Amino acid sequence: MFDCVSQAIRGASSSLGSRTNEQGAPPTLAASEEREQDYQTKITVWDEGFSSREEQIRARPRQGLVVVASCIDKIPNLAGIARTSEIFNLQKLVVHSKKVLQDRLFQQCSVTAEKWLPIQEVPEQQLESWLVEQKQLGWRIVALEQTANSVCMTEFKFPDRCIVVLGEEQRGVPVELLKLVDTCVEIPQLGVLRSLNVHVSASLLIWEFTKQHHLSTLS
């Protein structure tokens, strides 16, 4: 774990260093004034080649990342994962039951993510056989879990086609599923607590995958 943290610290230090100018000075007054003139751009521009927003969204190529949340039962966490998965245009989200999509709290937290994100129902008791099938189809299986052999997430090269298994809120990824995964990755941590909220953990992993594969396409 400490190697994982050290690697993350070095990366963060490098990033902070890039924020100063060549003389090592902080941003100039002109840069500050430029930021004051900034404004929000939460607007989706339609491509005129499509007849509707729905058509345009469904035609987009999706990232090759599938998030499996069938072990999760807390609705705010599921809704948050759905929202993040949609924002980063993932291949799909896997849940224990699609009935959760009709829950009022889920809909409040997901802010319509379920309308735009492909969601598949795979009950937890069927996950083993489902993961075996996906491996046979060429998907790499990764578990987000701290284990004796887990790899630091910031040092792991995510494959183009990747399924990430998330664990239960309290017990983590079940042992029977860990036996099926190709790799376990863990998030470097600096504090005393040894676990992040599962929605937060999933979001950090999704962003890491996006940085590695599609950062150049974001604008």
Side-chain angles (χ1 to χ4, degrees), residues 44-53 55-57 59-60:
T44 300
V45 179
W46 290 8
D47 188 324
E48 294 181 357
F50 294 92
S51 60
S52 69
R53 183 185 183 196
E55 181 183 346
Q56 181 177 349
I57 290 173
R60 291 182 305 173

Side-chain angles (χ1 to χ4, degrees), residues 58-76:
R58 293 190 179 95
R60 291 182 305 173
R62 293 187 172 275
Q63 293 208 70
L65 179 63
V66 175
V67 171
V68 177
S70 295
C71 296
I72 300 170
D73 56 12
K74 288 185 171 57
I75 290 176

Side-chain angles (χ1 to χ4, degrees), residues 120-161:
Q120 180 179 355
E121 178 178 298
V122 179
E124 184 176 356
Q125 59 270 25
Q126 297 178 16
L127 268 184
E128 279 191 74
S129 59
W130 184 83
L131 288 173
V132 170
E133 291 175 1
Q134 302 311 304
K135 291 188 75 170
Q136 293 173 347
L137 293 173
W139 288 87
R140 288 279 303 280
I141 313 298
V142 174
L144 181 54
E145 184 62 274
Q146 297 167 337
T147 69
N149 297 314
S150 56
V151 178
C152 185
M153 185 180 72
T154 56
E155 297 299 312
F156 178 68
K157 174 61 178 176
F158 283 92
D160 293 337
R161 286 163 51 85

